[in-house]
Amino acid sequence: MVNSKCRIEVTCSKRPMQTVTKTWSAIGWEWFGVNHPALPGLLSQMISDGVGVYTDEHDIVYTFTPLDNITA
C-alpha cells in the first residue's frame, strides 16, 4: 500500500537548483492525474531505487525523491 502522505522532493532539469516538496497524493492528483500511465513506474522506481525519474514530452527530466517511507 502507498503512503499518500509521503513527502517527495521534486527537482527538474530545467531548474536544477530549485526543489519543491509535494505529497504522493498531490503528485498523483495535481501533477499527473490519477490515471496517468507514468505513476505505477514512478512508484516502482521510488520503492526499489529510492528515487524516481520521469521525462516529459518536452524532454524535461523530473527527479522524485521520497523523504518519508513511500509504502505504508
Side-chain angles (χ1 to χ4, degrees), residues 4-54:
S4 63
K5 295 180 182 182
C6 174
R7 295 170 303 132
I8 299 172
E9 185 177 82
V10 183
T11 59
C12 83
S13 60
K14 192 170 183 177
R15 294 181 192 89
M17 299 306 287
Q18 292 181 328
T19 62
V20 66
T21 302
K22 294 280 188 179
T23 63
W24 174 251
S25 180
I27 289 170
W29 286 94
E30 296 172 14
W31 283 26
F32 285 100
V34 292
N35 295 319
H36 196 282
L39 287 175
L42 189 58
L43 177 62
S44 177
Q45 288 177 31
M46 286 191 285
I47 291 170
S48 65
D49 303 335
V51 65
V53 179
Y54 171 76

